Amino acid sequence: MGRGNLRIYLGAAPGVGKTYAMLSEAHRRVERGTDVVVGFVEHHGRPRTEVMLHGLEEVTRREIAYRDAVFTEMDVDAVLARRPRVALVDELAHTNVPGSRNTKRWQDVEELLQAGIDVVSTVNIQHLESLGDVVESITGVRQRETVPDEVVRRADQIELVDMSPQALRRRMAHGNIYKPDKVDAALSNYFRPGNLTALRELALLWTADRVDEYLRQYRTEHDVSTIWHARERIVVGLTGGPEGRTLIRRAARMAAKGSGSEILAVYIARSDGLTSASPKELAVQRTLVEDLGGTFHHVIGDDVPASLLEFARGVNASQIVLGSSRRKTWQYVFGPGVGATVARDSGPDLDVHIVTHEEVAKGRGLPVARGARLGRGRIVAGWAVGALVPVLLSLLLTRVLPPLGLANDMLIFLCTTIVAALLGGVWPALASAALGSLLLNYYFVEPVHRWTITDSKNIIAIAIFVFVAISVASVVDLAARRTHQAARLRAESEILSFLAGSILRGETSLDALLERVRETFGMESVALLERASDVDPWTCASSVVTSSGKPLLRPEDADVDMPVGDNLALALSGRVLPAEDRRVLAAFAAQAAVVLDRQRLVGEAEQARELAEGNRIRTALLAAVSHDLRTPLAGIKASVTSLRSDDVAWSEEDEAELLAGIEDGADRLDHLVGNLLDMSRLQTGTVTPLIREIDLDEVVPMALGGVPEGSVTLDIPETLPMVAVDPGLLERSVANIVENAVKYNPEGREPVLVAASALGNRVEVRVADRGPGVPDSAKDRIFEPFQRYGDAPRGAGVGLGLAVARGFAEAMGGTLAAEDTPGGGMTMVLTLRAAGGRPPVRPDLPAQATT
């Protein structure tokens, strides 16, 4: 027997109505025929709760003597022996009296669930083990009775019983929770408005987190890949500095306040490799953001603020989290900084949060790498230093400062050459060295103001100056190139690591891979194009396009195209990539081809599965034709042969019996062939229902024509709303369900019950028999074609009746499911859409305390 279901009513504080709601649910289930018992419910002297216990069967409690007193606890053995369908067990976090079967009541509940008994229980938010410290800080009371969070999280259903603090205090003041002599103390201590508000917030947030888990589970089970705009997207801008961890945790707390919020951490790297990021720190931050449920992105962009905003808008983000600048005060002369620029340019659609941290104003440190591709701004600055600063130095040293000596003058000019090399590379440094040597010769070497040198020592000094300047410029430029190569190789290794990881994880989303290509290379459009042969036109297998880009239809239309084989190409539009980037692009292209092949293999496997299923159905059909169809044919053949025989003189009674056998066999053949044709229509998708509004009592009685008289009891209230169905499909569905129930209903037992009821905007038709029933593990299998439970040969049929019934029900927008009949047997539940006609008449139910 399978494990039972656990339903928990969760409250923020005592007295909100958890037990009352649980008992109301019990009364509803009893009215539906469910076997419900009270395992343990404590009404605490509350009259309205005590009244709700009337009419419910209670299992006698077990008495336990402890310290000269007698206590009562739930008798687990008695509940297990009684074996109800549902047991009510109040106060899940309760600690049992020493000497009990288990230490905690949730352990008792676990035993009932393992025995296949459904349990309905209650618990307050302050009893969750993980919230013990939080609740103590709010209320000043340490909860001694707790239940592990995992026990509550494993519940199949959690319903929050909510009540405002003001309403709860009024209920307390009226004496509905505690006795009058305890009311004043409770209101002034635990039940203060602030305490209740904080506990209510804890309950709401905890329940919202559980709802988010249900949503993620549903999206996973149903393979939902499209975005549901029901959450915030928070982008965290990282610099690779130590403050990144603080920003990620801050963003995680912000995301926790909104169910379904998403965190995207992004690191913007300059295309020239200029970076102050620590690879080790970035790896730690990547792990941290993934542990918190977010994603890490590495994007290339020379303009960091613009790239960050472009990324945020590209992922439809609503908030950006940045850290306060690590610049020192004097460093702001170089510009306002990334945070201020992003805040200025974000516009009204993005909220920018600047978060303080311990590294504020401590300085960013010197870059750990230098790039060879310096950009236009730095090259201009290098030429300005190399061409203008030597002239300014000459004027300063000759007209403002006192003479410093030739050696010092040369060192000053040498410093200028080095600065030019650092800013603009080797060519501005060479220009600075050449200009500096000429100025030194003209202004500082005897004879001055002439381009000649009389002292051989000065000639050697000038030569050494030129040699040192050129050597330093070359070394600086070479170091920059090597560092740039190392930075590129590091970025390439990260990208290749991502591709290898995606292969190992079996990721098959081609759109996600192309989006990663677009982010990595900063493109507007990316498309994977293919063609069947060299003469065929190109077609798009998949593409990703930003709002400013346009779709790519041919490799010739792209700024960059990377062939993959003869008839496959990865096309990119937005900018022309340098040659060194094509190596990484080739890896992406190869991975895209692998993903495309994998998707097609998955599709072919699905087609093969469908073909195998069709082959299985055909094989079963042949078996059915060879056995089930031959049986009525053999009866018809024998009866006809007997009637045509001239050797026997048949009496009128015998002839009537033979003709009845022929008619019965023909009816059986007609029913079997009808089900086969219906199954064929369902398999080929040619069932087109003609939906119209109709009363159930016009259709259901017509479906009972094929069953013996007196074998079915019909209960269709006239007050039911009309249903939106195809009358013909509904009649066939109900007929198949009823015939199946009559076939398995034991002779001499009560007839099969066909009853209908309204639930909201749905109408249920329940067909209950008293047969052997079906275990939970086989309930879905009985709706498959050519399935008869236990391969029972009883009666006629090929095992298509329930499969056809479910197919017709789903074609009309309904459902068909199997449940256990209370007391033994099986109940088929056919759920249909109610039409907009008569409203249903609701039965009288006990009131619920849910507000």
Side-chain angles (χ1 to χ4, degrees):
M1 179 175 291
R3 177 183 171 89
N5 293 328
L6 175 61
R7 179 171 183 166
I8 293 179
Y9 286 92
L10 176 69
V16 295
K18 303 180 303 300
T19 305
Y20 193 97
M22 177 180 67
L23 295 174
S24 298
E25 173 66 17
H27 281 286
R28 285 193 296 273
R29 297 197 183 195
V30 168
E31 290 179 1
R32 294 199 299 263
T34 306
D35 184 16
V36 180
V37 302
V38 177
F40 188 98
V41 171
E42 186 62 65
H43 56 75
H44 297 290
R46 299 167 187 167
R48 298 186 63 186
T49 305
E50 185 176 2
V51 169
M52 293 297 293
L53 285 169
H54 296 169
L56 297 176
E57 178 185 351
E58 296 189 55
V59 177
T60 304
R61 300 182 185 182
R62 179 187 178 190
E63 295 185 352
I64 301 176
Y66 179 68
R67 291 185 178 179
D68 300 328
V70 177
F71 301 87
T72 60
E73 294 286 1
M74 181 175 66
D75 194 336
V76 180
D77 291 327
V79 177
L80 292 174
R82 171 63 176 75
R83 295 202 63 80
R85 187 68 183 90
V86 180
L88 307 182
V89 182
D90 204 5
E91 300 178 353
L92 186 65
H94 172 75
T95 302
N96 294 329
V97 176
S100 300
R101 181 190 186 99
N102 295 304
T103 304
K104 305 287 291 187
R105 184 164 294 164
W106 65 263
Q107 296 171 330
D108 297 338
V109 169
E110 187 67 20
E111 285 196 37
L112 300 182
L113 294 173
Q114 291 292 342
I117 300 174
D118 294 347
V119 176
V120 184
S121 187
T122 64
V123 70
N124 281 329
I125 192 67
Q126 66 264 29
H127 293 298
L128 295 181
E129 196 167 81
S130 66
L131 300 178
D133 295 339
V134 179
V135 173
E136 183 179 10
S137 65
I138 294 171
T139 64
V141 179
R142 182 67 180 183
Q143 297 295 330
R144 302 299 178 187
E145 294 186 332
T146 60
V147 58
D149 290 48
E150 186 59 27
V151 174
V152 182
R153 287 185 179 275
R154 284 202 308 263
D156 299 277
Q157 295 184 59
I158 299 176
E159 182 171 336
L160 178 65
V161 184
D162 190 27
M163 176 174 285
S164 68
Q166 294 79 8
L168 183 57
R169 284 172 59 84
R170 284 197 301 270
R171 178 178 288 183
M172 172 71 71
H174 293 160
N176 295 331
I177 301 178
Y178 293 156
K179 294 181 180 180
D181 58 338
K182 297 182 179 180
V183 169
D184 291 338
L187 289 175
S188 59
N189 290 284
Y190 193 91
F191 285 78
R192 290 178 304 201
N195 289 357
L196 297 178
T197 301
L199 292 173
R200 188 188 189 199
E201 182 180 18
L202 279 178
L204 290 170
L205 290 174
W206 196 93
T207 308
D209 180 65
R210 179 61 173 159
V211 172
D212 189 39
E213 291 179 11
Y214 280 138
L215 179 61
R216 286 198 300 268
Q217 181 180 356
Y218 177 86
R219 287 169 59 87
T220 301
E221 291 175 352
H222 293 77
D223 197 23
V224 178
S225 59
T226 57
I227 296 175
W228 290 356
H229 295 283
R231 58 183 176 180
E232 293 277 351
R233 286 196 164 193
I234 304 173
V235 171
V236 185
L238 301 178
T239 64
E243 78 281 359
R245 306 183 199 182
T246 302
L247 302 184
I248 293 171
R249 294 190 179 98
R250 175 59 177 158
R253 291 196 296 271
M254 293 169 58
K257 296 179 180 180
S259 178
S261 297
E262 184 179 1
I263 305 173
L264 300 93
V266 58
Y267 170 67
I268 310 291
R270 299 184 188 275
S271 61
D272 61 2
L274 185 62
T275 176
S276 58
S278 165
K280 181 178 179 181
E281 182 63 28
L282 277 178
V284 171
Q285 292 174 16
R286 176 193 288 269
T287 303
L288 176 60
V289 75
E290 291 176 350
D291 289 343
L292 293 174
T295 56
F296 184 91
H297 302 265
H298 188 111
V299 178
I300 304 297
D302 290 323
D303 189 339
V304 175
S307 299
L308 181 60
L309 289 172
E310 181 181 358
F311 174 83
R313 293 191 174 100
V315 298
N316 197 28
S318 58
Q319 301 182 60
I320 298 179
V321 176
L322 299 173
S324 296
S325 178
R326 286 183 287 137
R327 288 179 169 191
K328 293 184 180 296
T329 304
W330 63 269
Q331 291 177 311
Y332 281 97
V333 299
F334 299 107
V338 173
T341 304
V342 170
R344 182 192 63 200
D345 299 338
S346 62
D349 56 336
L350 277 173
D351 295 334
V352 180
H353 303 267
I354 306 296
V355 179
T356 59
H357 49 84
E358 295 180 353
E359 304 297 323
V360 173
K362 290 186 177 180
R364 294 184 300 178
L366 293 175
V368 298
R370 295 292 184 269
R373 297 190 309 175
L374 301 174
R376 180 177 300 176
R378 291 190 60 191
I379 292 176
V380 170
W383 279 104
V385 170
L388 298 180
V389 173
V391 176
L392 296 177
L393 283 177
S394 298
L395 296 176
L396 183 66
L397 293 174
T398 56
R399 299 191 178 184
V400 178
L401 298 178
L404 300 178
L406 181 60
N408 292 329
D409 295 336
M410 286 185 174
L411 289 176
I412 293 174
F413 276 90
L414 182 60
C415 290
T416 302
T417 302
I418 294 174
V419 171
L422 293 175
L423 287 175
V426 64
W427 293 110
L430 293 178
S432 176
L435 181 59
S437 62
L438 293 176
L439 293 175
L440 284 171
N441 181 17
Y442 189 79
Y443 286 105
F444 304 101
V445 177
E446 295 292 340
V448 296
H449 300 149
R450 295 180 62 184
W451 300 107
T452 59
I453 304 175
T454 58
D455 191 345
S456 60
K457 295 180 180 179
N458 293 337
I459 296 177
I460 297 175
I462 293 294
I464 293 175
F465 167 78
V466 174
F467 174 77
V468 171
I470 294 175
S471 300
V472 169
S474 300
V475 170
V476 169
D477 185 71
L478 180 63
R481 292 180 183 276
R482 294 290 183 264
T483 307
H484 172 71
Q485 293 173 0
R488 285 193 55 82
L489 291 174
R490 184 175 68 244
E492 289 180 7
S493 66
E494 290 182 359
I495 295 172
L496 295 176
S497 174
F498 161 78
L499 292 176
S502 65
I503 295 174
L504 295 176
R505 292 189 296 268
E507 296 177 355
T508 58
S509 176
L510 187 56
D511 290 342
L513 180 64
L514 296 184
E515 177 63 23
R516 181 63 184 250
V517 175
R518 190 196 66 78
E519 288 182 359
T520 301
F521 296 103
M523 292 295 183
E524 296 178 350
S525 305
V526 178
L528 185 63
L529 305 175
E530 64 174 341
R531 58 183 177 180
S533 65
D534 294 340
V535 298
D536 292 328
W538 291 93
T539 59
C540 182
S542 181
S543 65
V544 175
V545 183
T546 63
S547 58
S548 59
K550 59 180 181 179
L552 295 173
L553 303 178
R554 300 181 306 166
E556 295 81 5
D557 299 334
D559 294 319
V560 181
D561 70 282
M562 176 60 64
V564 187
D566 295 331
N567 300 312
L568 199 66
L570 184 64
L572 299 88
S573 175
R575 64 186 180 94
V576 178
L577 291 181
E580 56 265 30
D581 286 343
R582 296 183 65 87
R583 179 174 54 190
V584 178
L585 183 60
F588 271 113
Q591 175 66 4
V594 171
V595 171
L596 180 62
D597 289 341
R598 183 180 298 167
Q599 287 183 349
R600 289 176 173 171
L601 289 174
V602 171
E604 292 175 0
E606 180 64 22
Q607 292 179 358
R609 188 194 64 79
E610 293 177 356
L611 291 174
E613 179 67 16
N615 185 60
R616 186 186 69 82
I617 292 177
R618 284 192 292 271
T619 303
L621 177 59
L622 290 174
V625 171
S626 64
H627 179 270
D628 295 273
L629 294 182
R630 290 182 61 185
T631 301
L633 281 175
I636 293 173
K637 175 67 175 176
S639 297
V640 171
T641 302
S642 298
L643 288 174
R644 295 189 62 186
S645 175
D646 297 331
D647 301 336
V648 180
W650 301 102
S651 64
E652 293 184 0
E653 292 80 3
D654 292 337
E655 288 184 356
E657 183 176 352
L658 290 173
L659 290 173
I662 294 174
E663 184 179 12
D664 180 64
D667 289 340
R668 290 168 60 188
L669 276 177
D670 180 69
H671 181 74
L672 293 173
V673 172
N675 273 338
L676 289 172
L677 292 176
D678 289 338
M679 197 66 225
S680 176
R681 292 167 59 200
L682 289 171
Q683 290 288 334
T684 57
T686 58
V687 176
T688 305
L690 301 177
I691 304 297
R692 66 185 181 91
E693 298 182 1
I694 194 171
D695 282 315
L696 277 179
D697 53 11
E698 297 181 23
V699 180
V700 175
M702 298 173 60
L704 307 183
V707 298
E709 187 175 353
S711 61
V712 176
T713 299
L714 196 59
D715 181 15
I716 308 293
E718 296 181 356
T719 56
L720 285 177
M722 302 177 74
V723 291
V725 296
D726 182 314
L729 298 184
L730 176 60
E731 180 183 346
R732 194 57 179 269
S733 296
V734 175
N736 285 358
I737 297 170
V738 173
E739 289 175 7
N740 183 79
V742 171
K743 181 168 59 178
Y744 287 99
N745 198 52
E747 297 181 2
R749 296 290 299 272
E750 57 187 271
V752 171
L753 175 63
V754 180
S757 59
L759 295 173
N761 61 346
R762 315 290 287 180
V763 174
E764 286 187 353
V765 179
R766 307 178 74 89
V767 180
D769 63 60
R770 292 294 179 179
V774 175
D776 293 339
S777 59
K779 280 187 171 62
D780 285 334
R781 196 165 64 247
I782 62 176
F783 293 103
E784 297 178 3
F786 303 104
Q787 293 291 323
R788 290 182 296 182
Y789 178 60
D791 291 329
R794 177 182 178 182
V798 293
L800 287 177
L802 293 181
V804 170
R806 171 176 274 189
F808 283 171
E810 292 176 350
M812 295 183 293
T815 59
L816 178 62
E819 296 180 357
D820 293 329
T821 302
M826 187 170 63
T827 299
M828 290 292 175
V829 183
L830 176 62
T831 305
L832 305 170
R833 290 184 293 114
R838 295 188 304 268
V841 177
R842 296 178 58 85
D844 294 332
L845 296 175
Q848 299 184 61
T850 57
T851 59

